[in-house]
Amino acid sequence: MKPKGKATSFDIAHFAGVSQSTVSRALRNSPLVNEETRRRVWEVAKQLNYKVDKNASNLRTQQSSTLALLLFEDPTGDESQINPFFLNMLGSITRACAKQGYDLLVSFQSSSQDWRADYEDSHRADGIILLGYGDYMDYQSRLQQLLAQDTKFVCWGATVDGREDLTVSCDNYGGGKLAAEHLLQQNRSQYVFIGDASDHSPEFFARFKGFRDTLTAQGHSLSERQIANAISTEESGYHATRSLLANNIQFDALFAASDLIAIGALKALKEAGKDVPGDVAVVGFDNIAAASFISPALTTVQQNTTLAGQMLVNNLLNLIKGEAVTDTLLPPKLIVRRSA
Amino acid sequence: MKPKGKATSFDIAHFAGVSQSTVSRALRNSPLVNEETRRRVWEVAKQLNYKVDKNASNLRTQQSSTLALLLFEDPTGDESQINPFFLNMLGSITRACAKQGYDLLVSFQSSSQDWRADYEDSHRADGIILLGYGDYMDYQSRLQQLLAQDTKFVCWGATVDGREDLTVSCDNYGGGKLAAEHLLQQNRSQYVFIGDASDHSPEFFARFKGFRDTLTAQGHSLSERQIANAISTEESGYHATRSLLANNIQFDALFAASDLIAIGALKALKEAGKDVPGDVAVVGFDNIAAASFISPALTTVQQNTTLAGQMLVNNLLNLIKGEAVTDTLLPPKLIVRRSA
DNA sequence: CTGAAAGCGCTTACAG
DNA sequence: CTGAAAGCGCTTACAG
């Protein structure tokens, strides 16, 4: 018994001696079908290595059991360098999807070029997860459009006032606070921040604010000159730190908006002959794998990617089901290692 | 003009004043349709934000324009730690797919538990890419089954004799040779290899053979005692190196089958008070991001992931089209840094 | 160049 | 508990 090509439910029906409707019901374990019939159908299906045609069933049921992940890359461009933090997120999102019986379509967006948010329109996915740093201002309008089209989606990152989208994010403000408190405990006196302290990167901005507010509450100020701009790459962190040094800014405590930035800073400090943590204490953010490899091992604020991935897919699924969902804030955690 | 729910080709037809067949043709830019008609149809489609329903068109054409990626994880289990090398591959595969107009379904396989190779059976994907280390012996039989079912798939990794599947891999033997030659040039005299030198990990084995053959050709032997087993994790590399040290094996040159292993080795050597590269020269394999961050920066054999991703999807696509395809071997490249 | 019609393989009311 | 039938939204021979 071998039909040519892939077996269909009609083939199963034929060999099991029942109607095609019954095959469909049996395979979906409908309580309507007789136990014995069900067994026979499954038996035949297995022998023919039958699998339900997802295109047909999706078309019929008007849903896809698939989620799409749009990953925004840093605008750096280097093809093969993806921020390890997002790669981790990707791993946990995939797993969370699998656990819920959903498949995951993945797409990388190189900046604003090729906006691929039509997965839902074309019925390929029931909803979309947006992930990435990048300049929020840039794709703000795209989000508005998704909202207008009633596309189901959830964003990783910062909640932005006046935006109606659903977000899951780390408590970045609280994370900045954790970093400041740790540094304060060591009686450091001159602080610097490296990252983007503007609303182009709401996440970095929140980390900055938590850091600054905590410092000022303890009587430490943070002037313009003690803030160096950097995007989330090692290189950018390296250059920002060098310019701080070149400008003769004095500091014994450095908070980087991401681990990649911190790693670049470590390199610049080493080159300048500064001892870490002796001369300068350094704290990063993310807890990527490299943070524990580097020397000195990096003290950093960890984001729980496993939980983040789960919340992202669970919230999206609830949104799709029409249930009430609210923004989620995940607690950060300080990981103390050698650098501070 | 706003149909309730998502617009279908019938809605477009209605507003454009043509038949639904013409809409379908126009949207696919069939040369059969009049230029003016085509324009009008596109115009209406755009206004209604119409997107072809992929489930319907896939069902009709019997193909999905989707590829599936199965990522095998190392058997270590820690949820959030995925080998950065594969994550890079994932990035380049995604991009290669996008370039060809294909979507990518991603799935992680935690060891042999949940074998998810039915993407093609269920018409979700036209073909499958298999990626990962892991024990080849374990899923050998699965591959046979895929072959038997005539599933279209391509594997990353080593060609194994007697297997008929299509593979794309790095020239691991050549890479091992590169490592040996570099170490030989520095007149090192006592060599060790850390990794799995058995056919459970064909890739590691090939690296090992290239390394050993080159050494023996120059009169250096590599005895059993100079080979330490390790899977591809930092921890495993750390412990393997410690046991070498504990067993009083003398060596001034170490070749690790992967960067993760090498990073673990570096840690163990540092703890033992050995200077790298002074006392021991270390060479890794992969060139993951951490290799350049770590101190001393790691000399390693790079695999071209961008090219690898492209070859993987191109070969698979050709296989699907029924064209002749052969196994592909990618050239490795030695990246010299501080550690050797 | 265009339209009417068949059919891809399912799921699910509807009738028994 | 089971079957006959409609229909999801397309693509593409077939006829004009």
Side-chain angles (χ1 to χ4, degrees), chain B residues 125-137:
Chain B
D126 298 333
I128 302 179
I129 296 173
L130 297 170
L131 193 62
Y133 286 125
D135 191 327
Y136 268 63
M137 290 318 191

Side-chain angles (χ1 to χ4, degrees), chain B residues 233-270:
Chain B
T233 66
E234 188 206 355
E235 208 189 329
S236 185
Y238 173 78
H239 288 300
T241 308
R242 277 179 60 110
S243 75
L244 242 25
L245 260 12
N247 290 335
N248 253 307
I249 310 291
Q250 300 297 316
F251 60 95
D252 58 4
L254 184 160
F255 175 41
S258 80
D259 284 351
L260 249 22
I261 293 176
I263 287 170
L266 249 24
K267 195 172 186 174
L269 291 171
K270 183 176 288 182

Side-chain angles (χ1 to χ4, degrees), chain A residues 153-169:
Chain A
F153 70 98
V154 53
C155 289
W156 168 258
T159 333
V160 173
D161 282 345
R163 228 173 54 199
E164 291 300 305
D165 55 329
L166 181 65
T167 60
V168 172
S169 53

Side-chain angles (χ1 to χ4, degrees), chain B residues 9 20 24-25 50 60:
Chain B
S9 53
Q20 183 268 338
S24 178
R25 288 197 196 91
Y50 171 78
R60 184 51 235 247

Side-chain angles (χ1 to χ4, degrees), chain A residues 9 20 24-25 50 60:
Chain A
S9 53
Q20 182 269 337
S24 179
R25 287 197 197 91
Y50 170 78
R60 184 51 234 249

Side-chain angles (χ1 to χ4, degrees), chain B residues 16-314:
Chain B
V18 292
S19 75
Q20 183 268 338
S21 342
T22 299
V23 170
S24 178
R25 288 197 196 91
L27 260 15
R28 322 189 84 233
N29 292 319
S30 158
L32 286 176
V33 5
N34 178 286
E35 174 56 21
E36 157 60 15
T37 316
R38 201 184 60 74
R39 272 208 327 87
R40 204 164 68 244
V41 169
W42 272 92
E43 178 66 20
V44 178
K46 192 167 180 188
Q47 277 187 39
L48 295 190
N49 191 34
Y50 171 78
K51 292 278 157 31
V52 169
D53 183 319
K54 285 288 185 184
N55 289 132
S57 79
N58 289 346
L59 174 59
R60 184 51 235 247
T61 60
Q62 295 292 72
Q63 44 138 277
S64 65
S65 294
T66 300
L67 261 26
L69 173 64
L70 285 197
L71 206 42
F72 293 86
E73 298 179 64
D74 291 316
T76 30
D78 178 345
E79 291 237 333
S80 53
Q81 282 300 52
I82 300 162
N83 191 325
F85 172 74
F86 291 111
L87 254 10
N88 269 351
M89 287 289 281
L90 187 147
S92 68
I93 289 171
T94 317
R95 264 181 287 262
C97 278
K99 203 185 287 176
Q100 304 279 350
Y102 275 71
D103 284 325
L104 216 226
L105 233 24
V106 175
S107 161
F108 286 78
Q109 301 280 138
S110 336
S111 75
S112 41
Q113 306 260 241
D114 45 350
W115 179 248
R116 272 290 272 135
D118 57 347
Y119 288 112
E120 203 213 18
D121 298 325
S122 59
H123 293 252
R124 302 227 48 159
D126 298 333
I128 302 179
I129 296 173
L130 297 170
L131 193 62
Y133 286 125
D135 191 327
Y136 268 63
M137 290 318 191
D138 273 2
Y139 55 93
Q140 189 78 278
S141 67
R142 319 268 202 165
L143 296 189
Q144 294 299 352
Q145 198 188 334
L146 289 185
L147 243 17
Q149 288 173 205
D150 199 32
T151 295
K152 308 299 182 199
F153 70 99
V154 53
C155 288
W156 168 260
T159 334
V160 173
D161 282 347
R163 227 172 56 199
E164 291 300 306
D165 56 330
L166 181 65
T167 59
V168 172
S169 53
C170 175
D171 177 3
N172 290 298
Y173 185 90
K177 204 173 151 190
L178 248 30
E181 284 165 356
H182 181 71
L183 258 10
L184 246 11
Q185 268 175 30
Q186 307 181 193
N187 291 313
R188 300 284 169 167
S189 56
Q190 292 155 311
Y191 297 79
V192 291
F193 171 83
I194 302 186
D196 185 353
S198 81
D199 51 8
H200 282 264
S201 328
E203 293 181 88
F204 282 9
F205 202 16
R207 291 169 197 177
F208 166 73
K209 283 187 283 197
F211 182 67
R212 182 201 54 197
D213 291 357
T214 310
L215 291 182
T216 49
Q218 299 291 325
H220 289 86
S221 66
L222 205 58
S223 75
E224 274 300 328
R225 307 190 66 227
Q226 298 170 94
I227 301 170
N229 246 293
I231 58 169
S232 197
T233 66
E234 188 206 355
E235 208 189 329
S236 185
Y238 173 78
H239 288 300
T241 308
R242 277 179 60 110
S243 75
L244 242 25
L245 260 12
N247 290 335
N248 253 307
I249 310 291
Q250 300 297 316
F251 60 95
D252 58 4
L254 184 160
F255 175 41
S258 80
D259 284 351
L260 249 22
I261 293 176
I263 287 170
L266 249 24
K267 195 172 186 174
L269 291 171
K270 183 176 288 182
E271 283 184 14
K274 301 277 187 190
D275 179 59
V276 174
D279 299 326
V280 182
V282 175
V283 176
F285 210 108
D286 286 346
N287 194 28
I288 60 175
S292 67
F293 297 153
I294 201 162
S295 163
L298 189 65
T299 291
T300 189
V301 179
Q302 176 179 43
Q303 309 195 57
N304 186 338
T305 53
T306 305
L307 186 57
Q310 282 166 7
M311 294 309 294
L312 243 11
V313 339
N314 289 349

Side-chain angles (χ1 to χ4, degrees), chain A residues 270-303:
Chain A
K270 184 176 288 181
E271 281 184 16
K274 302 277 187 189
D275 177 59
V276 175
D279 300 324
V280 182
V282 175
V283 177
F285 209 108
D286 286 346
N287 194 28
I288 61 176
S292 66
F293 296 152
I294 201 161
S295 159
L298 190 64
T299 291
T300 190
V301 179
Q302 175 178 44
Q303 308 195 58

